Amino acid sequence: MANTVVINGDKRKFTLNSDLKLYALIDAGFVKTAKGNFNYEHPLYNDSPYNAPTKLKITINKNLEHWTMVVTDRSGLQKVNIFKNKQLAPTVELLNYILKDLEERKIIALVKD
């Protein structure tokens, strides 16, 4: 877990928003784990979420200080670079929409260089 994360293949860096509130996580669909961390999984699909080849996974620690964010395959075990394949442009568009929503909810923030 880290303070700043980069999705595999993306050039942007993200960090947790300094105004992050617990209720914002719950409203956005994060689920509290047995260890107290917060997990978020969202299928990145074009047609059906049940056939989604990739998914976005975010984990935030219970202190809301460190986190991870990756795009994985269907099983959730292998990292996937969705930016290198032009056919996955709709998937990248959906990812950008989700990230923008999380920014607007003050969960994550884009790091400006």
Side-chain angles (χ1 to χ4, degrees), residues 49-104:
Y50 303 106
N51 296 329
T54 57
K55 61 181 160 182
L56 173 66
K57 292 177 68 173
I58 301 173
T59 301
I60 301 175
N61 76 341
K62 61 185 171 186
N63 299 330
L64 307 181
E65 295 170 354
H66 300 288
W67 68 309
T68 61
M69 178 168 61
V70 295
V71 174
T72 66
D73 62 1
R74 184 177 293 145
S75 70
L77 300 176
Q78 296 289 324
K79 288 183 183 179
V80 176
N81 183 347
I82 61 173
F83 296 94
K84 67 181 180 181
N85 188 338
K86 299 264 188 242
Q87 292 177 335
L88 293 176
T91 303
V92 172
E93 190 176 320
L94 179 59
L95 173 68
N96 289 335
Y97 176 80
I98 294 168
L99 295 177
K100 185 175 187 289
D101 182 55
L102 293 175
E103 280 185 76
E104 289 173 356

